[in-house]
Amino acid sequence: MTKNLLHNWFTPRVALDKASARMLTFASFALPILLWCLVSYVPFIWHPQVEITDPGGVSYFREGTLVDRDVYELEVANKLETDPDLSPSELPQGKPANPVYLPAPHEVATALYTAFKTPPKRSNEPWFHESLWHSIQVIAWGFFWAMLFGVPLGVLAGTYASASHLIEPFTEFFRYLPAPAFGALAVAILGIYDAPKIAIIFIGTFFQMVLIVAATTRKLNIALVEASLTLGCKGFRMMRRVILPGILPDLYRDMRILLGWAWTYLIVAELIGTSSGITWFITQQARYKNFENVFAAILIIGLIGLATDMVLARMGKRLFPWHHSK
């Protein structure tokens, strides 16, 4: 049975049974977390620093501070060289530790919980959940405008060769230009608040969207288009009755993928003009070396993205049951 199971795992394009699918899905998350735990909690794997528990007479050592292991060992050696009769209790004491930028899983888990309950240090600063909601709005608006213009242009380019030659060459060129490079220009034109941030997310997703939607449209069975033309269905009517219904399941999947793409531009976009949203929280926490809060904020972004995609995937199964039954 195990042999058959492994055979299915390594046979291309063979569907897995539910138990295998669940186990591998769990492993995809469990393995990185296990590695993180090993690095965090097992001292001999990777703990390049020492957390001082007793300064032992070293002037610049303070209890709770982190020093590199070679610095710690050098100071211990210097103490022994100066006074060989010192007892171990009189020497500097410390325990293996990781750098401050690599917090342990339990510290990040605590930060995930406390971030929503801890009030901002200043009364005029937003709460964490308010910053998060602000970022979600920026993503939503940027992606909405990209869809509003990108989907129609992509469908046109995928349907008509003339539209393809008019739209796609410049789009192919522009998609290689880094969206953040337009930050200063966006601020100059749109101001320092949310508009340039939305513009950066729009630029980062729109041009990719046009090309992906065009490619998806071309995958539609040409026999359906030819049959509609034979029956006298042309122009906008063909788009509405044949093209769009034919590509809708794949178009929906493309939007799910591109929404994740939009999230990747969020941090850069929110640094443009006035820092805001989740990016403001991350930069503030990094400035004060609260890296467990930085990790927590990054994880929350991932969790929101994953939860959104799972909801959209479930909705897609209900909206297009015939497509998922293939």
Side-chain angles (χ1 to χ4, degrees):
M1 182 175 180
T2 304
K3 187 176 180 181
N4 291 335
L5 187 66
L6 291 175
H7 180 267
N8 288 341
W9 285 13
F10 296 103
T11 302
R13 305 183 70 86
V14 171
L16 298 177
D17 59 278
K18 289 185 178 180
S20 295
R22 286 177 186 149
M23 182 174 66
L24 292 172
T25 300
F26 174 77
S28 71
F29 287 93
L31 290 176
I33 294 173
L34 176 61
L35 179 61
W36 185 12
C37 289
L38 289 173
V39 170
S40 297
Y41 300 127
V42 181
F44 58 82
I45 289 184
W46 189 72
H47 282 63
Q49 294 188 321
V50 174
E51 181 181 348
I52 302 300
T53 56
D54 184 353
V58 179
S59 60
Y60 64 93
F61 280 3
R62 297 288 183 273
E63 186 176 348
T65 58
L66 296 176
V67 297
D68 291 337
R69 183 182 293 275
D70 55 351
V71 173
Y72 173 79
E73 291 173 351
L74 178 62
E75 291 296 341
V76 171
N78 288 340
K79 281 286 184 182
L80 288 173
E81 185 177 346
T82 304
D83 188 354
D85 297 328
L86 283 175
S87 66
S89 61
E90 295 175 300
L91 294 171
Q93 303 294 320
K95 59 183 180 180
N98 282 325
V100 67
Y101 56 78
L102 185 61
H106 75 276
E107 295 173 330
V108 176
T110 302
L112 276 169
Y113 173 73
T114 58
F116 292 96
K117 299 183 65 178
T118 304
K121 292 184 177 180
R122 299 175 184 173
S123 59
N124 61 337
E125 292 177 351
W127 282 68
F128 177 73
H129 66 273
E130 293 173 331
S131 297
L132 192 59
W133 174 240
H134 185 271
S135 295
I136 292 172
Q137 289 177 298
V138 169
I139 286 285
W141 280 112
F143 194 71
F144 167 77
W145 289 112
M147 280 199 308
L148 186 65
F149 295 100
V151 171
L153 288 175
V155 172
L156 282 173
T159 304
Y160 299 105
S162 56
S164 174
H165 285 287
L166 179 64
I167 295 169
E168 291 192 74
F170 179 76
T171 305
E172 285 278 7
F173 159 75
F174 207 96
R175 76 186 179 104
Y176 288 104
L177 304 183
F182 295 90
L185 183 62
V187 169
I189 297 172
L190 301 171
I192 63 173
Y193 297 106
D194 286 348
K197 308 175 196 305
I198 293 170
I200 294 302
I201 292 172
F202 172 86
I203 293 170
T205 53
F206 168 76
F207 296 97
Q208 310 290 346
M209 185 179 294
V210 171
L211 298 175
I212 289 173
V213 172
T216 295
T217 304
R218 290 192 188 98
K219 292 179 183 177
L220 182 65
N221 191 342
I222 191 62
L224 296 175
V225 178
E226 291 172 347
S228 67
L229 291 172
T230 301
L231 295 171
C233 187
K234 300 178 180 179
F236 178 75
R237 189 179 177 192
M238 182 181 67
M239 287 280 189
R240 184 168 57 87
R241 295 284 186 89
V242 179
I243 303 293
L244 284 177
I247 68 169
L248 202 54
D250 290 328
L251 184 62
Y252 184 86
R253 180 206 59 209
D254 291 342
M255 293 304 105
R256 282 176 51 203
I257 295 171
L258 286 162
L259 180 59
W261 200 317
W263 273 99
T264 64
Y265 285 99
L266 176 66
I267 299 298
V268 175
E270 289 191 326
L271 288 172
I272 294 168
T274 55
S275 292
S276 62
I278 193 70
T279 304
W280 178 88
F281 178 84
I282 289 173
T283 53
Q284 287 291 99
Q285 297 303 315
R287 183 176 301 166
Y288 298 114
K289 296 186 177 181
N290 297 326
F291 288 102
E292 67 278 4
N293 291 336
V294 173
F295 273 71
I298 293 172
L299 285 175
I300 285 174
I301 293 174
L303 290 171
I304 291 174
L306 178 63
T308 303
D309 189 70
M310 290 175 67
V311 170
L312 291 175
R314 188 171 291 273
M315 287 176 58
K317 288 181 180 180
R318 290 183 175 272
L319 290 171
F320 315 112
W322 66 92
H323 184 72
H324 291 276
S325 63
K326 292 180 181 180

